[in-house]
């Protein structure tokens, strides 16, 4: 099957492009790192609102790693628009390359990139004294959860890119969506400190599901950082359910739009 | 039909209603060097895109190596090399990486692929720049790299859409020489270009398209013989005289006074007159124009060239976008689509 080898070669292409344009990585890592290092200091009092002895840095780390998935994944659509505009897509289409592999290679690279960036943020968090209380398996699950969230989000950005064929539009919509979605979720604040209507929004916000799962691994319930290994599987599986649902919808739309562009 | 490329009544109407190709028929036999010429907007790129399975036809039929372009696209893509009109390379990858990737997408790998890439790098003269990012290449280097990427998998048929436009004369000559060699090795070449001299020398057959229709096809010598006359090119000092158009005045005069003129067409500088025994006619034309006070800035006679063939069938001279090596880099980014 050329699907796997083609996906692999195109994955490598994207990784090379990324490494040679470090500014892109810088852009998507800059915000989460500023949040982790500065904002958590600014809002340090929030910790005690969440529970006695809770550090806000520990609390917010879950939201911050997810924010990084969000901002990187949104670059996906713009790069595919670039390939359409430059004619590189056309050039590939004149070869026997497996059509789906063109998309899959890109999505794979998004996932991998988000995972690596998550590791960087988690390393920094470790220096600040934050680490998953659930140990190595916790780390692995956090990275996987963020990686898969990135995949689902990159589906949105790819679909937007393929539909509008405009990098600016993708960027604009991404910027427009990021903050409301992030702040009206459990990413950075405890829902109990939100007005009731926002609590409702937050409870349906897909970001909340992923954040809750990550948070349960970093600081297992109930809000306690000294508890021993507790895996809250129902929260984790819920998150994977939501991510899978979003993934199927956005990647399905992407595949559909891509087929239209390709034929 | 038995050609390696068979096209019959092929038509393409774009979504916005533009009838880019209006029922053309031709065939190219295996091993042929086939030129596909025409003025801007004639439908050349549209035809190439259909033959290379990048665009769906509206009607008619087209097959490449016996495979139908609609139903057997995958089989066609394995045996063709395609260079589009706009140069496309990945600027973040090195020249070598660009070529290797194309080979990989053609299911090549390992030692065979590496050797092939090295060989092609030599041929397109990019050995020294092979490991530099293509973003740092000049326009001409990118064009050569683009051509090389289409050759990695040893295609049976090459489709080239203006492969030498924008190259300096030296690289152009090198590319044409290489294409000639490829063709001698048995590769069929389907090419659009604006360089008629090279077409005359290398293409075994050619077709001229204008406004989506084929207006002439045959071997270069057949087409030149068809003109059956020398061409006299006249340049006028002024484009208007006595409140009228110099061209039409001159035309009137020529038609009235001279026999043996087979055709008169407008050219950029004035008129081109086709006549037998052009050499004898020149002094008479000069005298007649003198009497009529039509100022001539230049006059020249030549036996027919493909330029004349082109002019006769399309009413236009082919416009070669000459570029000096100093500015071809800039010009490429601004090329029309
Ligand atoms: N995607 C498109 N949608 C609508 N019209 C198009 C499209 N592509 C090309 N055309 C039109 O179809 C006609 C033929 O275009 P084509 O690109 O095939 O010409 P060409 O012979 O390659 O010209 P050139 O020498 O300028 O490259 C032109 O009138 C052009 O404007
Ligand atoms: Mg063209």
């Amino acid at each position: 099957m050329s699907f796997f080898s083609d996906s692999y070669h195109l994955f490598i292409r994207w990784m090379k492009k990324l490494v040679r344009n470090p500014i892109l990585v810088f852009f998507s890592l800059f915000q989460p790192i500023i949040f982790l290092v500065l904002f958590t200091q600014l809002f340090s009092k929030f910790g005690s609102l969440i529970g006695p002895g809770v550090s806000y840095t520990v609390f917010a780390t879950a939201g911050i790693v997810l924010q990084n998935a969000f901002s990187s994944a949104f670059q996906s659509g713009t790069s595919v628009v670039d390939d359409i505009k430059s004619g590189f897509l056309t050039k590939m289409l004149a070869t026997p390359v497996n059509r789906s592999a063109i998309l899959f290679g890109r999505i794979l690279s998004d996932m991998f990139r988000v995972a690596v960036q998550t590791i960087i943020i988690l390393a920094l968090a470790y220096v600040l004294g934050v680490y998953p209380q659930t140990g190595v398996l916790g780390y692995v699950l956090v990275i996987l959860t963020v990686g898969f969230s990135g995949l689902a989000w990159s589906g949105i950005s790819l679909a937007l890119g393929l539909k509008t064929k405009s990098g600016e539009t993708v960027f604009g919509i991404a910027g427009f969506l990021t903050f409301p979605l992030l702040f009206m979720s459990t990413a950075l604040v405890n829902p109990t400190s939100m007005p009731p209507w926002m609590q409702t929004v937050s409870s349906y916000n897909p970001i909340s599901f992923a954040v809750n799962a990550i948070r349960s691994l970093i600081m297992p319930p109930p809000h306690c950082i000294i508890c021993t290994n507790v895996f809250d599987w129902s929260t984790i599986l819920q998150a994977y359910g939501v991510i899978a649902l979003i993934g199927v919808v956005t990647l399905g739309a992407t595949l559909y739009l891509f087929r239209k562009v390709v034929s | 039909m038995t050609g390696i490329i068979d096209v019959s009544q092929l038509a393409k109407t774009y979504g916005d209603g533009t009838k880019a190709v209006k029922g053309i028929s031709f065939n190219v036999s295996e091993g042929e060097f086939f030129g596909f010429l025409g003025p801007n907007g004639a439908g050349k790129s549209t035809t190439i895109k259909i033959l290379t399975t990048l665009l769906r036809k509206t009607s008619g039929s087209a097959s490449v190596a016996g495979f139908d372009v609609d139903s057997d696209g995958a089989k066609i893509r394995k045996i063709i090399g395609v260079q589009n009109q706009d140069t496309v390379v990945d600027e973040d990858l090195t020249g070598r990486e660009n070529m290797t990737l194309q080979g990989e997408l053609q299911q090549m790998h390992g030692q065979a692929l590496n050797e092939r890439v090295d060989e092609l790098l030599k041929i397109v003269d990019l050995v020294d720049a092979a490991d530099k990012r293509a973003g740092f290449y000049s326009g001409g280097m990118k064009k050569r790299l683009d051509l090389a990427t289409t050759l990695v998998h040893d295609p049976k048929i090459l489709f080239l859409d203006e492969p030498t436009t924008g190259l300096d004369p030296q690289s152009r000559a090198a590319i044409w020489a290489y294409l000639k060699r490829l063709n001698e090795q048995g590769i069929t070449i389907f090419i659009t270009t604006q360089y008629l001299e090279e077409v005359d020398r290398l293409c075994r057959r050619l077709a001229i398209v204008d406004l989506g229709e084929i207006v002439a096809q045959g071997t270069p010598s057949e087409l030149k013989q068809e003109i059956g006359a020398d061409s006299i090119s006249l340049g006028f000092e002024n484009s208007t005289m006595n409140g009228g158009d110099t061209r039409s005045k001159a035309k009137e005069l020529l038609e009235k006074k001279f026999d043996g003129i087979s055709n008169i067409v407008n050219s950029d500088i004035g008129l081109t007159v086709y006549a037998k025994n052009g050499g004898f006619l020149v002094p008479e034309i000069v005298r007649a124009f003198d009497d009529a006070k039509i100022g001539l800035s230049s006059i020249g006679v030549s036996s027919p060239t493909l330029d004349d063939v082109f002019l006769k069938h399309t009413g236009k001279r082919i416009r070669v976008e000459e570029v000096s090596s100093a500015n071809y880099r800039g010009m490429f980014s601004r090329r029309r689509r």
Side-chain angles (χ1 to χ4, degrees):
Chain A
M1 262 296 268
S2 71
F3 173 75
F4 293 104
S5 60
D6 287 349
S7 298
Y8 170 75
H9 295 307
L10 294 170
F11 165 78
I12 295 291
R13 169 183 176 233
W14 287 115
M15 292 322 289
K16 281 180 183 160
K17 285 172 81 71
L18 190 65
V19 171
R20 290 168 196 182
N21 291 289
I23 190 84
L24 289 178
V25 182
F26 174 80
F27 269 138
S28 51
L29 270 179
F30 182 73
Q31 257 190 19
I33 288 178
I34 290 288
F35 263 70
L36 187 64
V37 178
L38 291 182
F39 284 15
T40 51
Q41 302 301 305
L42 193 61
F43 298 125
S44 60
K45 293 236 169 56
F46 276 24
S48 48
L49 287 178
I50 296 158
V54 173
S55 134
Y56 183 66
T57 311
V58 174
F59 178 82
T61 298
I64 290 169
V65 287
L66 209 73
Q67 183 196 5
N68 125 70
F70 218 74
S71 53
S72 328
F74 265 127
Q75 284 171 8
S76 204
T78 40
S79 52
V80 169
V81 172
D82 285 347
D83 263 2
I84 294 176
K85 293 215 163 131
S86 71
F88 200 85
L89 181 65
T90 307
K91 182 167 176 155
M92 285 193 281
L93 292 177
T95 74
V97 66
N98 182 297
R99 278 26 190 172
S100 310
I102 297 176
L103 266 189
F104 194 67
R106 173 68 212 190
I107 291 167
L108 218 57
S109 79
D110 287 332
M111 257 180 94
F112 184 77
R113 168 190 178 181
V114 165
V116 170
Q117 290 183 177
T118 305
I119 292 171
I120 295 174
I121 295 172
L122 287 176
L124 192 64
Y126 186 84
V127 175
L128 298 173
V130 185
Y131 48 90
Q133 297 296 304
T134 43
V136 174
L137 182 56
Y139 264 116
V140 172
L141 282 173
V142 168
I143 293 164
L144 280 180
T145 313
V146 184
F148 279 112
S149 304
L151 181 150
W153 299 134
S154 72
I156 299 180
S157 132
L158 284 168
L160 281 172
L162 291 167
K163 181 81 200 165
T164 64
K165 302 208 177 63
S166 148
E168 289 83 358
T169 309
V170 177
F171 233 80
I173 294 180
F176 173 79
L177 280 179
T178 307
F179 275 98
L181 273 176
L182 206 65
F183 280 105
M184 283 194 258
S185 77
T186 55
L188 300 167
V189 283
N190 218 20
T192 50
S193 49
M194 293 176 183
W197 67 270
M198 206 186 277
Q199 278 185 32
T200 316
V201 174
S202 157
S203 68
Y204 289 107
N205 187 337
I207 295 187
S208 299
F209 287 91
V211 167
N212 292 346
I214 297 166
R215 185 165 292 143
S216 79
L217 293 160
I218 296 180
M219 44 186 288
H223 311 307
C224 132
I225 21 178
I226 26 176
C227 312
T228 44
N229 303 353
V230 183
F231 285 95
D232 188 355
W233 289 113
S234 82
T235 306
I236 296 171
L237 289 178
Q238 247 181 45
Y240 275 80
V242 170
I243 291 169
L245 191 70
I246 296 181
V248 166
V249 172
T250 62
L251 295 176
T254 302
L255 207 62
Y256 169 76
L257 290 167
F258 186 67
R259 292 251 144 106
K260 263 179 44 178
V261 170
V262 165
S263 74
Chain B
M1 283 288 173
T2 51
I4 198 163
I5 302 174
D6 279 324
V7 173
S8 169
Q9 292 305 314
L10 179 71
K12 174 71 191 179
T13 306
Y14 281 108
D16 64 357
T18 309
K19 289 189 165 66
V21 176
K22 304 171 189 164
I24 59 174
S25 304
F26 63 88
N27 56 80
V28 178
S29 20
E30 186 158 5
E32 210 161 29
F33 202 130
F34 190 85
F36 199 59
L37 314 177
N40 291 145
K44 304 180 296 290
S45 297
T46 303
T47 307
I48 284 206
K49 281 183 195 147
I50 293 171
L51 293 176
T52 55
T53 77
L54 292 169
L55 190 70
R56 295 219 163 240
K57 62 180 160 47
T58 308
S59 63
S61 71
S63 70
V64 173
F67 301 122
D68 183 81
V69 288
D70 282 339
S71 53
D72 273 331
K75 287 180 186 138
I76 294 177
R77 291 189 284 270
K78 279 191 190 141
I79 52 163
I80 60 172
V82 184
Q83 180 174 21
N84 286 307
Q85 188 168 357
D86 298 296
T87 312
V88 186
V89 294
D90 188 327
E91 305 206 338
D92 292 325
L93 301 184
T94 66
R96 188 191 301 280
E97 286 169 341
N98 265 290
M99 292 170 68
T100 308
L101 178 63
Q102 287 298 313
E104 284 164 345
L105 298 183
Q106 290 282 0
Q107 316 305 324
M108 297 173 72
H109 45 77
Q111 187 71 11
L113 175 56
N114 291 340
E115 279 170 11
R116 177 71 180 148
V117 168
D118 282 335
E119 181 191 349
L120 281 171
L121 280 168
K122 263 181 231 141
I123 288 164
V124 294
D125 197 17
L126 285 174
V127 175
D128 293 336
D131 297 308
K132 261 202 262 179
R133 280 192 223 175
F136 299 129
Y137 285 15
S138 71
M141 289 162 82
K142 281 183 197 159
K143 194 96 184 161
R144 294 197 316 257
L145 173 61
D146 195 17
L147 175 65
T149 60
T150 70
L151 293 168
V152 182
H153 61 294
D154 239 326
K156 265 179 72 152
I157 310 167
L158 259 185
F159 290 91
L160 305 171
D161 201 348
E162 303 198 8
T164 58
T165 305
L167 293 183
D168 55 286
Q170 207 180 339
S171 330
R172 207 163 69 214
I175 296 288
W176 280 101
Y178 180 57
L179 292 179
K180 179 166 185 267
R181 200 140 45 91
L182 282 176
N183 181 243
E184 283 161 2
Q185 288 162 11
I187 295 181
T188 308
I189 297 182
F190 185 93
I191 192 169
T192 82
T193 177
Q194 309 182 344
Y195 295 97
L196 295 179
E197 268 170 49
E198 274 106 341
V199 169
D200 201 356
R201 242 176 342 108
L202 295 172
C203 289
R204 199 171 313 164
R205 271 192 326 127
L206 59 102
I208 298 177
V209 275
D210 192 21
L211 302 172
E213 283 168 300
I214 292 192
V215 290
Q217 60 178 319
T219 65
S221 53
E222 273 168 13
L223 290 171
K224 283 185 289 189
Q225 266 165 26
E226 231 172 67
I227 290 196
D230 299 325
S231 71
I232 306 165
S233 133
L234 304 172
F236 299 126
E237 274 171 356
N238 303 302
S239 57
T240 55
M241 57 175 293
N242 306 336
D245 181 31
T246 312
R247 278 201 183 94
S248 42
K249 290 236 157 114
K251 214 181 249 176
E252 214 174 288
L253 178 71
L254 288 164
E255 277 162 358
K256 205 163 63 192
K257 287 200 106 173
F258 298 97
D259 299 327
I261 291 181
S262 51
N263 198 7
I264 306 175
V265 291
N266 292 342
S267 71
D268 296 339
I269 51 164
L271 290 175
T272 302
V273 179
Y274 295 98
K276 291 218 169 68
N277 301 326
F280 290 110
L281 229 64
V282 168
E284 293 181 34
I285 289 178
V286 171
R287 217 168 299 134
F289 277 31
D290 236 15
D291 294 345
K293 305 245 170 342
I294 299 175
L296 276 174
S297 63
S298 67
I299 184 162
V301 193
S302 57
S303 46
T305 63
L306 277 186
D307 253 320
D308 299 314
V309 174
F310 194 86
L311 183 64
K312 176 185 166 196
H313 291 289
T314 68
K316 302 176 194 89
R317 282 218 179 269
I318 207 157
R319 197 168 58 88
V320 175
E321 292 174 38
E322 241 358 300
V323 279
S324 69
S325 47
N327 70 8
Y328 64 74
R329 178 200 297 251
M331 150 165 186
F332 250 87
S333 43
R334 278 182 276 113
R335 250 183 91 66
R336 67 195 189 277
R337 302 212 142 234

